[in-house]
Amino acid sequence: MVIGEMTQDVDLVVVGGGPGGYTAALRAAELGIKTVLVEAMPKPGGVCLHMGCIPSKALLHAAEVIETSKHAASFGVHFEAPKLDVDALRSWKQGVTDKLAQGIVGMCKSAGVEIIRGRATFQDSRNLRVEGDNESPSSRIKFKHAILATGSRPVKLRGMDFESDRLLDSTSALSLADVPKKLLVVGGGYIGLEMGSVYAALGSEVTVVEMTDGLLPGVDRDLVRPLATALAGKFKAIYLSTKVTALKEEKNGLTASFEGKDAPASENFDKVLVAVGRRPNSDGIGLENTQVTVDAHGFAVVDEQCRTSDKRILAIGDVSGQPMLAHRAMRQGMVAAEVLAGRSSAFDNRAIPAVVFTEPEVAWCGITETDAKAGGIEVAAAKFPWSASGRAMTLAEPVGQTKVLFDPQTTRVLGVGIVGPRAGDLIAEAVLAIEMGAVLEDLVVTIHAHPTLAETLMEASTAALSRLERQAARAAEKEKTRA
Ligand code: FAD
Ligand code: NAD
């Protein structure tokens, strides 16, 4: 123990002030638990607020405005080519995150949650040490319970992990130092496609390299197809089933060597963004001094109540497993706090929405056709193309599809996939439908405002129900004839 270090005795310490951590801390305080929140960064908000969801969506909004201004000519509205002020865009984005961070600080203050700045390390299952810096002294915390919410960080690829201003990860890509003329994006997943879209709209010539044979692996192909077509028009090249085998820094940029059927042997780029996944922050925080079990991928193993195998420690968010999404972290934060307050709360949600905020957006929840096929689960699908949606036509963006997957016996809604503008907002109704155990008829008889894109969920369900009714009528007719 370092002499002079203060020790605080608390009911609950939350380690990590991201969306999982601050949600848990606020809910715990609300339920009467004395809570402190330890965060290593100067401001709370985590990856989501400072280098993830929020800054990327701010930049994607700018990209959408640029793209929309280009397409407006198709309905007779002409804009001049956009003039880009990168400094102003960067400060606007920063302003958004600063305001939101201030909001979290304010909420913690009014809830009585003390924020301690520093890096926490578990000494054992009851104590942790917080390593301070110039602005905050180091201290020790004795806790009854801890919630681990330390999040995740980008995966680094061997041979692509050297220090260079030209080599970006999602954090440096979001800092928007400049707009490179030629950008290589390694990884055709969430970050690769979202950030690739941003830089393409800002004027970069973007090349995407994806190791598997399709963008967004795991997502239903009929949802990805319209996005892949749109991106083919925006990106210079998309190389599938391709790997970057070497990356070499040269005077004029980074030269990447490729191995893949359509890719050139090598090409020079001004900058390279590596976005090949994230790994949990479960190492270097003293978990070996506790009873917490960590799996082969580095995730803290938790049960439905977010409890780890250490009875005093719970874990939530990215550090506790897939999918690594902010809204999952937030829901788990609520659950963990309620469990500690003695409530019968569980992370037993049936559907976790996923949204890729590209143009068009892709969103899904519940079961996917890919999952159903792999798991031998019988599902029926109803699809509604947006070319038949009045609202999509008025937006001059009729490319899209809404797909409802349901149990063919009971018509219970099991999954929904949507591709099209604002799919990320539309998926909310589908999540609620699945949580409430809705059947197709519930979506059909619910009045949807007209004309809206939300109607496509009702239309897809109506089409499915009509099809089932026709099938039933035909079967009854056959039965009658046989009799
Ligand atoms: P984090 O947000 O990672 O927060 C963990 C916090 O813990 C950090 O602030 C960190 O500083 C702190 N910490 C770590 N170790 C310690 C320690 N030892 N002591 C003290 N503090 C510590 N998800 C979505 O749902 N929607 C999106 O649109 C979206 N976009 C994204 C875009 C990008 C570019 C990226 C990278 C991610 C995106 N995500 C998105 C994922 C989302 O950011 C994460 O799922 C979410 O932030 C996880 O929340 P968390 O609370 O588990 O951890
Ligand atoms: P990802 O898992 O979404 O995509 C990584 C992609 O890289 C995959 O398609 C994978 O096949 C590919 N890949 C892996 N190794 C490769 C290699 N050597 N060469 C070429 N391609 C390779 O990961 P991400 O894009 O880094 O994002 C990380 C996580 O952050 C996501 O899984 C998601 O949980 C979260 N996120 C969410 C959002 C959102 O909700 N809109 C946005 C960004 C990030």
Side-chain angles (χ1 to χ4, degrees):
M1 178 174 170
V2 181
I3 308 290
E5 260 179 24
M6 233 181 67
T7 302
Q8 235 192 113
D9 222 317
V10 297
D11 290 337
L12 172 64
V13 58
V14 179
V15 182
Y22 71 73
T23 304
L26 289 171
R27 182 71 178 134
E30 194 175 68
L31 295 172
I33 302 173
K34 186 187 171 198
T35 305
V36 299
L37 177 64
V38 183
E39 170 53 56
M41 288 202 288
K43 291 176 194 162
V47 168
C48 171
L49 177 52
H50 298 288
M51 47 235 195
C53 324
I54 301 297
S56 62
K57 266 76 254 181
L59 294 180
L60 278 158
H61 174 65
E64 185 185 348
V65 171
I66 293 171
E67 294 295 336
T68 306
S69 72
K70 280 189 205 158
H71 298 149
S74 69
F75 46 86
V77 181
H78 298 269
F79 291 97
E80 300 210 340
K83 282 197 195 99
L84 200 62
D85 179 345
V86 178
D87 293 338
L89 178 56
R90 195 186 308 112
S91 353
W92 169 69
K93 168 186 67 90
Q94 194 56 45
V96 172
T97 59
D98 287 348
K99 265 185 227 132
L100 288 166
Q102 216 35 57
I104 299 170
V105 171
M107 284 192 291
C108 287
K109 208 177 245 173
S110 25
V113 173
E114 185 192 350
I115 303 177
I116 298 178
R117 179 168 162 190
R119 179 157 292 280
T121 316
F122 286 88
Q123 310 290 292
D124 56 38
S125 302
R126 287 225 61 180
N127 295 282
L128 55 77
R129 181 164 189 270
V130 182
E131 181 83 45
D133 55 22
N134 293 342
E135 286 174 36
S136 52
S138 298
S139 62
R140 295 164 75 90
I141 296 173
K142 191 173 184 67
F143 59 84
K144 282 201 186 88
H145 288 105
I147 296 178
L148 183 67
T150 47
S152 64
R153 60 183 186 273
V155 164
K156 292 191 172 180
L157 284 178
R158 206 174 303 144
M160 283 182 239
D161 51 358
F162 51 87
E163 287 295 316
S164 164
D165 288 347
R166 294 183 183 277
L167 186 56
L168 309 177
D169 61 13
S170 51
T171 305
S172 44
L174 282 167
S175 73
L176 198 67
D178 59 12
V179 178
K181 197 167 172 307
K182 286 183 74 180
L183 173 70
L184 173 67
V185 176
V186 185
Y190 281 85
I191 294 175
L193 301 189
E194 289 187 356
M195 292 312 296
S197 300
V198 166
Y199 276 97
L202 298 182
S204 295
E205 194 179 275
V206 174
T207 297
V208 173
V209 170
E210 165 57 42
M211 182 175 75
T212 67
D213 62 1
L215 299 175
L216 297 174
V219 182
D220 286 351
R221 293 300 92 189
D222 57 345
L223 299 179
V224 176
R225 220 168 286 126
L227 171 63
T229 307
L231 292 180
K234 289 175 189 163
F235 295 167
K236 187 193 161 232
I238 299 173
Y239 300 127
L240 301 175
S241 307
T242 300
K243 276 188 187 157
V244 176
T245 51
L247 198 60
K248 206 169 139 209
E249 179 135 39
E250 302 191 84
K251 248 197 206 143
N252 60 342
L254 292 172
T255 298
S257 303
F258 301 112
E259 197 180 275
K261 58 182 169 46
D262 300 317
S266 68
E267 194 173 332
N268 188 268
F269 296 90
D270 297 300
K271 291 204 169 171
V272 175
L273 162 61
V274 178
V276 293
R278 297 179 65 80
R279 54 173 297 195
N281 290 327
S282 57
D283 47 343
I285 52 172
L287 286 185
E288 62 283 3
N289 304 324
T290 71
Q291 302 299 313
V292 173
T293 308
V294 170
D295 73 12
H297 302 285
F299 291 116
V301 179
V302 290
D303 64 13
E304 263 198 350
Q305 294 192 309
C306 304
R307 291 187 187 278
T308 67
S309 38
D310 189 314
K311 65 178 192 308
R312 292 188 182 276
I313 304 175
L314 288 78
I316 58 173
D318 285 10
V319 75
S320 73
Q322 297 280 5
M324 294 198 204
L325 297 172
H327 39 274
R328 171 179 172 270
M330 288 191 245
R331 174 73 200 126
Q332 285 186 312
M334 298 291 284
V335 169
E338 288 169 6
V339 164
L340 289 179
R343 298 208 174 181
S344 63
S345 192
F347 182 65
D348 54 3
N349 291 62
R350 287 184 179 151
I352 304 173
V355 183
V356 186
F357 292 86
T358 40
E359 269 190 78
E361 290 181 354
V362 183
W364 64 98
C365 65
I367 201 163
T368 63
E369 270 187 298
T370 313
D371 290 342
K373 205 178 259 176
I377 302 164
E378 197 193 351
V379 291
K383 299 181 184 182
F384 185 78
W386 285 22
S387 51
S389 155
R391 186 62 180 138
M393 296 290 271
T394 63
L395 295 174
E397 298 198 71
V399 175
Q401 173 182 265
T402 298
K403 173 170 73 171
V404 179
L405 300 169
F406 58 95
D407 180 330
Q409 314 304 328
T410 61
T411 83
R412 185 166 165 167
V413 181
L414 300 176
V416 171
I418 308 178
V419 55
R422 304 288 169 223
D425 292 314
L426 300 177
I427 203 70
E429 182 184 351
V431 177
L432 186 64
I434 294 172
E435 287 294 345
M436 308 270 307
V439 292
L440 289 177
E441 194 185 357
D442 294 315
L443 292 173
V444 172
V445 300
T446 299
I447 298 176
H448 290 73
H450 178 76
T452 59
L453 297 171
E455 285 173 295
T456 62
L457 201 54
M458 182 257 293
E459 296 284 9
S461 307
T462 304
L465 215 50
S466 309
R467 192 174 69 205
L468 290 175
E469 279 166 6
R470 281 197 305 276
Q471 278 167 2
R474 273 200 303 272
E477 194 58 40
K478 242 190 206 162
E479 196 58 37
K480 218 160 99 190
T481 325
R482 206 179 300 147

